[in-house]
Amino acid sequence: MKIDVKAFAKLNISLDVVSRMADGYHEMLMVMQSVDLCDDVSVTVEAGDGIAVSTSLRYLPADMRNIAAKAAGAFLARAGIRGRHVSIAIKKRIPVCAGLGGGSADGAAVLRALNALLDTRLTVRELEEIGAEVGSDVPFCVRCGTALATGRGNVLEDLPPLPDCAFVIVKPQFAVSTPELFSRLDCAKIRNRPDTAGLVDALRAGNLAGIAHRMYNVFEDALPRGREEIDAIRGELLDNHALGAIMTGTGSAVFGLFDSYESAHGAWKTLSGRRECFAARAVGKYEV
Ligand code: C5P
């Protein structure tokens, strides 16, 4: 039995780090959006044992360190399933170490795929709970759509979809280590924070300009290097009619918000000659 599913990237429309918790993780406050930039994930289940994973990028782990394999293991354990061999093949399109949740998206796609293949009929909420065991962003990548994320990033509240808009996502040359960036952040010293309440109000009002105006990511101010490139990309996106542009997650990818796909595509055409970039649309909430 085999199924093909899409693993959608996520963007942080805003990202705030509220505090460092006793377990070393950080309490987050983020507005998240899934987009149609995606990896293709094929999952096959046969009689047998074990979990195998392969990806189109040779340098990614092809063993239980891969979040997709971890998700499969957590799913089988939770559903109490034995005597099944799971093989996962991932065609990567989402840039890695970019703050786009690529690994989390692959894990979430595996959870959805196994739920369908094995006819286990777990709810989206149950899949999110399993996802939280393997990574903080996995629950959002299961749910998709537009959401306010708190806790480690795993506590989700649906928000209304963004008004009509599109994105251009640009991947700088340098990559960022998520744990390193978290460790550099001193929550008490964060000077500028996003107006998350104002952003949520703008979303509820369907006010795209108001949303763009409030996009902000506190990690931009904590980058150990590469800030100039982030600012240069932001400038290029704004020069090409983005309403706002920020880094997503712990970076290094930067995205611009546009008022139409045509406008985003125009910017993509201009930038794509010299930068790795993608035009993308918003993806709505996942329903089983
Ligand atoms: O949960 P996940 O495995 O994706 O997190 C990767 C790393 O990011 C953690 O080991 C931790 O260093 C950091 N992190 C954090 N606070 C969060 C989420 C992640 O400190 N809320």
Side-chain angles (χ1 to χ4, degrees):
M1 286 185 302
K2 178 175 175 245
I3 191 169
D4 297 327
V5 288
K6 290 194 183 307
F8 296 113
K10 62 87 179 162
L11 297 176
N12 293 96
I13 306 296
S14 70
L15 189 155
D16 199 0
V17 185
V18 179
S19 63
R20 190 170 184 276
M21 300 188 283
D23 62 3
Y25 275 85
H26 292 77
E27 188 189 346
M28 312 298 290
L29 180 61
M30 315 185 271
V31 173
M32 304 183 78
Q33 175 65 53
S34 43
V35 291
D36 64 0
L37 170 62
C38 64
D39 294 341
D40 293 329
V41 179
S42 294
V43 180
T44 307
V45 175
E46 293 159 308
D49 281 309
I51 296 165
V53 56
S54 65
T55 82
S56 56
L57 294 178
R58 260 198 268 147
Y59 55 85
L60 292 181
D63 54 26
M64 288 309 282
R65 286 171 300 165
N66 191 301
I67 197 163
K70 283 187 198 164
F75 182 95
L76 296 178
R78 170 72 83 96
I81 290 173
R82 288 158 191 267
R84 291 283 186 282
H85 177 267
V86 178
S87 51
I88 303 162
I90 305 172
K91 179 174 170 21
K92 291 298 295 180
R93 269 196 232 95
I94 306 172
V96 301
C97 290
L100 293 163
S104 304
D106 297 340
V110 166
L111 297 178
R112 292 200 298 255
L114 288 174
N115 200 30
L117 273 177
L118 297 167
D119 198 25
T120 29
R121 300 179 193 212
L122 300 184
T123 62
V124 176
R125 184 55 70 93
E126 287 168 323
L127 296 178
E128 288 173 16
E129 282 168 19
I130 302 170
E133 293 171 24
V134 289
S136 303
D137 284 341
V138 180
F140 175 75
C141 292
V142 169
R143 183 180 301 206
C144 293
T146 313
L148 183 71
T150 55
R152 282 194 292 129
N154 57 323
V155 180
L156 303 174
E157 182 189 325
D158 286 337
L159 290 171
L162 286 170
D164 263 356
C165 65
F167 306 92
V168 173
I169 300 161
V170 183
K171 171 68 175 60
Q173 298 280 339
F174 69 98
V176 175
S177 149
T178 294
E180 186 198 344
L181 202 49
F182 268 107
S183 71
R184 285 177 61 88
L185 202 71
D186 181 346
C187 294
K189 290 196 178 139
I190 296 176
R191 280 208 233 123
N192 299 310
R193 293 181 180 275
D195 170 15
T196 309
L199 174 57
V200 169
D201 286 346
L203 256 166
R204 294 199 196 285
N207 173 4
L208 192 63
I211 294 165
H213 184 66
R214 292 175 176 84
M215 288 166 39
Y216 196 82
N217 180 347
V218 297
F219 278 125
E220 283 191 32
D221 301 322
L223 282 170
R225 65 196 159 274
R227 181 66 200 244
E228 301 74 24
E229 196 178 350
I230 301 290
D231 286 337
I233 293 169
R234 188 191 343 269
E236 290 168 31
L237 288 164
L238 294 174
D239 286 348
N240 284 278
H241 312 296
L243 305 175
I246 60 167
M247 192 174 83
T248 178
T250 50
S252 59
V254 178
F255 70 96
L257 174 68
F258 292 79
D259 63 5
S260 69
Y261 189 78
E262 290 65 36
S263 160
H265 192 258
W268 173 82
K269 263 169 70 181
T270 309
L271 269 64
S272 59
R274 56 182 189 280
R275 301 229 182 246
E276 182 183 357
C277 70
F278 309 83
R281 298 178 206 264
V283 166
K285 199 180 165 195
Y286 173 67
E287 315 278 353
V288 183

